[in-house]
């Protein structure tokens, strides 16, 4: 078998995770059928925002948050397709500054 | 002795000459600038705190040292101001934001310490867009000090987020100021106020003591009257600081020892597509001047990569972390432009893997951008696609979408994403008597080369010598 690059491996494992995710919660899945995967993800993240900050956010703000979450997820989707290095532009140094 | 307005509009180099020839003292100069800061600062909404007493102590000390021939260099005895996101011991540092209005740090930012060691005299903390634009804003009034006005026309904005730094230099409230840029916050006010601004390479200047909006995008840089001036200031600011791990020990030689006989400048593809007519006209005139000492190559394209997706993802994750307490406490809603920040809490939901993916793409972008920039001394475009925005309108409604200048926006975003330096210099005027500008972006660590080009341009033009009539 040809050796997989780290990027290919990452894509494969992500695919597995998506498959497992799709088999649970079938009732909820039926309700959510009309929504795109991005909308479902945005709504899931929105629930966390509500749990953490709900007392600060009225309906209009929650709607703005949801739109922003959708935009962020769209961005993330495009970045998954973009040319990328193996390591992020972050450097950890063991010694003290 | 009364200090003339002509003197207050001199460059750092010219003021330094007057100080050393004893034609004027630092104390006289400082008093004159302090008077203007107090008189015109409120009119422009450009000032947060005037530091009269401390400034006069520093000025008198500079005079004593210069008399004793203990010369600390070109900035000795020269007054200046800083964007109010730099920590100053014992003086409020507000970040332009209501929740931090009374906050006082017990230490100085490294930039302040370096300028003090160079003998410069700190006169004022200058107005800024709250949180340097963190979580977005869509109006000039996004600061607890109110909308900062460009001295060229008080109905228009000074630009952001280093608003007060741009306005104060343009109106001769200070001879130079320090600003910061995460993405456009030095170049924009430099352009709208008709001053010379420099965004250094990421890591050139220590950010210790500066408000963090985005640790991997924030840069501090000078805003001055001339290109030579920002070379003099950067020479003091540049260098490794153990207190900022991102700062680098890189040589900054100014002026450049061996500049090329003829510069090689690439003109950004579609640089004048969808810009105001005067911006286009002035840009084309500037190119004619540059052609006298540079080889110009047209239609230089940037790599077709998702720069704004990287910028957005990185900025959202880092600002959410930097201002987590503000988001959790609910103090966010005390901000002046809270209505523009309704979606702020979405920033807390950037997934770690998406942030790291953005940082992996960013690494690849550095390489792609280097391949383009390594062929040129600079890539040029108009500083902004329009003149300054009116203060009474939301930005999104200020001008037609037909002058959105998409190529210019991509240039600013892409160069900030990969940490490249840029300079901005005035090149004429557009509608409503407002200034226009050009920007020159260069490869990593090429500030001295960019400054050399800007100096050559300013040698044969006088846009940087023009003065607004504010009084």
């Amino acid at each position: 078998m040809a050796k997989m690059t780290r990027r290919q491996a990452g894509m494969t494992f992500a695919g597995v995770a998506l498959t497992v995710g799709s088999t649970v919660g079938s009732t909820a899945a039926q309700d959510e059928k009309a929504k795109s995967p991005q909308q479902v993800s945005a709504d899931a993240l929105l629930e966390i925002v509500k749990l953490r900050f709900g007392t600060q956010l009225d309906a209009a703000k929650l709607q703005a948050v949801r739109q922003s979450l959708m935009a962020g997820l769209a961005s993330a989707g495009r970045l998954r397709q973009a040319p990328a290095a193996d390591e992020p532009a972050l450097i950890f140094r063991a010694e003290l500054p | 002795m009364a200090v003339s307005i002509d003197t207050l509009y001199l460059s750092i180099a010219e003021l330094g000459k007057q100080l050393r020839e004893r034609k004027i003292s630092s104390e006289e100069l400082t008093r004159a600038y302090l008077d203007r800061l107090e008189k015109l600062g409120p009119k422009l909404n450009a000032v947060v705190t005037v530091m009269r007493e401390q400034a006069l102590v520093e000025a008198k000390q500079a005079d004593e040292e210069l008399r004793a021939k203990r010369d600390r260099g070109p900035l000795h005895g020269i007054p200046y101001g800083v964007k109010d996101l730099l920590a100053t011991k014992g003086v409020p540092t507000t970040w332009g934001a209501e929740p931090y209005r009374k906050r006082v740090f017990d230490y100085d930012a490294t930039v302040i310490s370096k300028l003090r060691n160079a003998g410069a005299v700190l006169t004022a903390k200058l107005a800024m867009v709250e949180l340097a634009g963190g979580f977005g804003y869509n109006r000039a009034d996004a600061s607890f000090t109110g909308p900062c006005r460009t001295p060229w026309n008080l109905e228009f904005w000074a630009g952001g987020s280093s608003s007060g730094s741009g306005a104060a230099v343009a109106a001769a409230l200070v001879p130079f100021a320090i600003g910061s840029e995460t993405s456009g916050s030095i170049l924009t006010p430099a352009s709208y106020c008709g001053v010379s601004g420099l965004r250094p390479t990421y890591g050139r200047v220590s950010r210790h003591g500066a408000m963090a909006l985005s640790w991997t995008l924030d840069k501090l840089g000078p805003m001055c009257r001339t290109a030579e001036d920002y070379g003099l200031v950067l020479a003091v600011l540049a260098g490794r600081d153990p207190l900022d791990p991102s700062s680098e020990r890189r040589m900054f030689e100014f002026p450049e020892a061996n500049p090329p006989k003829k510069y090689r400048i690439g003109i950004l593809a579609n640089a004048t597509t969808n810009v105001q007519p005067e911006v286009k006209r002035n840009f084309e005139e500037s190119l004619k001047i540059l052609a006298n000492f540079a080889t110009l190559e047209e239609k230089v394209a940037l790599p077709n990569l998702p720069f704004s997706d990287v910028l957005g993802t990185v900025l959202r994750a880092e600002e959410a972390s930097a201002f987590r307490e503000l988001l959790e406490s609910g103090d966010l809603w005390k901000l002046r432009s809270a209505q523009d920040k309704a979606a702020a809490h979405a920033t807390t939901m950037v997934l770690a893997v998406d942030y790291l993916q953005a940082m992996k793409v960013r690494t690849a972008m550095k390489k792609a951008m280097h391949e383009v920039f390594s062929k040129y001394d600079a890539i040029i475009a108009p500083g902004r696609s329009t003149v300054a925005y009116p203060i009474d309108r939301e930005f999104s409604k200020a001008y037609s979408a037909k002058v959105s200048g998409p190529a210019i926006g991509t240039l600013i975003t892409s160069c900030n994403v990969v940490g490249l330096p840029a300079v901005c210099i005035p090149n004429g005027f557009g509608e409503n008597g407002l200034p226009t500008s050009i920007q020159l972006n260069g490869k990593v660590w090429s500030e001295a080369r960019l400054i050399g080009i800007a100096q050559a341009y300013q040698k044969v033009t006088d846009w940087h010598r023009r003065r607004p009539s504010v009084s």
Side-chain angles (χ1 to χ4, degrees):
Chain A
M1 191 175 102
K3 195 179 168 186
M4 251 194 256
T5 65
R6 282 165 63 180
R7 184 168 160 75
Q8 286 166 333
M11 301 286 270
T12 305
F13 296 137
V16 170
L18 281 174
T19 310
V20 172
S22 67
T23 59
V24 293
S26 58
T27 314
Q30 276 170 0
D31 295 341
E32 301 286 294
K33 227 172 187 176
K35 292 182 180 175
S36 70
Q38 207 172 78
Q39 286 171 321
V40 175
S41 300
D43 286 340
L45 292 173
L46 187 65
E47 287 305 311
I48 303 174
V49 172
K50 280 185 198 169
L51 274 173
R52 290 183 179 176
F53 309 107
T55 55
Q56 295 183 37
L57 305 172
D58 58 21
K61 284 174 181 157
L62 285 169
Q63 183 55 28
V65 168
R66 187 175 185 275
Q67 280 176 4
S68 180
L69 290 169
M70 290 282 288
L73 289 164
S75 250
R78 287 190 290 273
L79 291 176
R80 287 289 301 277
Q81 309 303 319
D86 267 356
E87 294 206 12
L90 293 169
I91 298 171
F92 172 78
R93 291 191 178 95
E95 82 270 23
L96 290 170
Chain B
M1 187 183 99
V3 179
S4 74
I5 188 67
D6 290 342
T7 301
L8 297 176
Y9 269 103
L10 291 177
S11 69
I12 292 172
E14 291 160 341
L15 287 172
K17 191 164 180 279
Q18 297 230 347
L19 286 172
R20 280 159 191 79
E21 290 173 354
R22 306 255 184 103
K23 288 184 177 160
I24 195 166
S25 70
S26 176
E27 185 183 347
E28 289 167 332
L29 201 55
T30 301
R31 281 188 193 279
Y33 282 120
L34 287 168
D35 291 347
R36 278 179 80 79
L37 281 161
E38 286 167 351
K39 185 181 162 200
L40 294 178
K43 196 170 183 177
L44 297 169
N45 289 333
V47 180
V48 181
T49 307
V50 178
M51 298 169 65
R52 181 173 278 274
E53 284 179 29
Q54 278 180 245
L56 290 172
V57 169
E58 289 181 5
K60 284 173 189 171
Q61 188 190 335
D63 284 331
E64 279 172 27
E65 289 176 348
L66 285 169
R67 271 195 296 273
K69 305 281 181 205
R70 290 201 300 273
D71 196 328
R72 294 172 185 246
L75 304 190
H76 204 167
I78 305 289
Y80 75 102
V82 294
K83 185 174 183 177
D84 201 20
L85 52 54
L86 289 169
T88 40
K89 188 176 179 180
V91 177
T93 299
T94 68
W95 299 352
E98 185 64 44
Y100 305 110
R101 205 165 174 162
K102 291 179 181 162
R103 191 257 324 276
V104 178
F105 289 107
D106 63 356
Y107 67 96
D108 285 323
T110 294
V111 159
I112 303 280
S113 305
K114 284 192 166 195
L115 288 166
R116 182 178 296 117
N117 290 339
V121 176
L122 177 57
T123 55
K125 306 292 293 289
L126 300 171
M128 58 181 280
V129 173
E130 53 195 355
L131 311 181
F135 305 112
Y137 64 110
N138 191 26
R139 64 201 72 222
D141 193 25
S143 170
F144 80 80
T145 46
C148 186
R149 300 162 192 272
T150 175
W152 294 97
N153 184 333
L154 300 187
E155 300 303 313
F156 290 81
W157 186 43
S161 64
S162 307
S163 321
S165 301
V169 172
L173 312 188
V174 289
F176 79 93
I178 304 300
S180 77
E181 172 150 336
T182 303
S183 187
S185 285
I186 288 175
L187 295 195
T188 304
S191 186
Y192 289 179
C193 293
V195 303
S196 305
L198 182 148
R199 178 190 74 223
T201 304
Y202 178 83
R204 175 70 90 180
V205 177
S206 167
R207 295 170 297 111
H208 170 68
M211 183 202 87
L213 170 58
S214 168
W215 294 280
T216 68
L217 288 163
D218 297 343
K219 284 85 57 183
L220 300 175
M223 300 174 74
C224 307
R225 225 169 292 303
T226 69
E228 180 188 22
D229 281 1
Y230 50 56
L232 296 174
V233 178
L234 187 61
V236 169
L237 302 184
R240 168 84 180 144
D241 173 17
L243 297 171
D244 175 1
S246 72
S247 63
E248 299 266 5
R249 197 185 305 278
R250 278 283 176 159
M251 178 90 154
F252 174 67
E253 185 185 48
F254 175 76
E256 195 179 18
N258 297 303
K261 286 201 175 78
K262 201 160 194 187
Y263 295 107
R264 190 172 171 77
I265 298 177
I267 304 166
L268 180 70
N270 304 314
T272 54
T273 302
N274 292 355
V275 303
Q276 285 180 332
E278 297 88 351
V279 169
K280 183 171 192 245
R281 181 198 66 206
N282 295 348
F283 182 69
E284 287 166 354
E285 287 300 316
S286 298
L287 293 180
K288 286 181 198 163
I289 292 164
L290 289 163
N292 292 318
F293 53 87
T295 305
L296 303 178
E297 187 178 317
E298 291 190 37
K299 295 182 183 172
V300 174
L302 298 177
N304 183 20
L305 295 169
F307 294 108
S308 62
D309 287 321
V310 168
L311 184 92
T313 303
V314 170
L315 180 56
R316 281 199 299 276
E318 295 187 6
E319 69 185 341
S321 174
F323 296 111
R324 187 170 182 165
E325 281 179 29
L326 189 76
L327 291 167
E328 289 177 345
S329 68
D331 281 352
L332 177 87
W333 308 117
K334 294 178 185 168
L335 292 174
R336 187 76 161 238
S337 69
Q339 68 271 41
D340 297 334
K341 296 174 170 58
H345 291 83
T347 59
T348 64
M349 290 293 114
V350 176
L351 301 182
V353 286
D354 291 337
Y355 174 75
L356 290 168
Q357 177 67 14
M359 294 299 267
K360 286 180 182 175
V361 173
R362 202 173 175 188
T363 297
M365 284 174 168
K366 283 201 296 187
K367 192 165 176 271
M369 287 286 275
H370 176 77
E371 280 169 17
V372 176
F373 277 81
S374 61
K375 295 176 195 155
Y376 306 99
D377 294 308
I379 292 181
I380 192 170
R384 300 295 315 192
S385 61
T386 68
V387 293
Y389 296 156
I391 56 168
D392 61 354
R393 248 174 283 165
E394 290 182 5
F395 298 158
S396 52
K397 296 173 187 161
Y399 294 113
S400 152
K402 289 177 186 164
V403 291
S404 61
I408 298 168
T410 301
L411 181 67
I412 292 174
T413 301
S414 60
C415 290
N416 273 288
V417 162
V418 299
L420 300 183
V423 296
C424 179
I425 46 175
N427 76 334
F429 292 88
E431 60 182 62
N432 294 304
L434 293 161
T436 62
S437 67
I438 48 174
Q439 59 171 307
L440 296 149
N441 293 261
K443 53 184 162 283
V444 71
W445 310 120
S446 70
E447 289 93 331
R449 180 70 50 92
L450 297 176
I451 296 169
I453 300 170
Q455 278 185 285
Y457 179 83
Q458 291 189 334
K459 234 178 224 171
V460 293
T461 59
D462 70 349
W463 303 114
H464 58 294
R465 295 284 181 194
R466 305 289 178 98
R467 301 178 196 171
S469 59
V470 64
S471 60

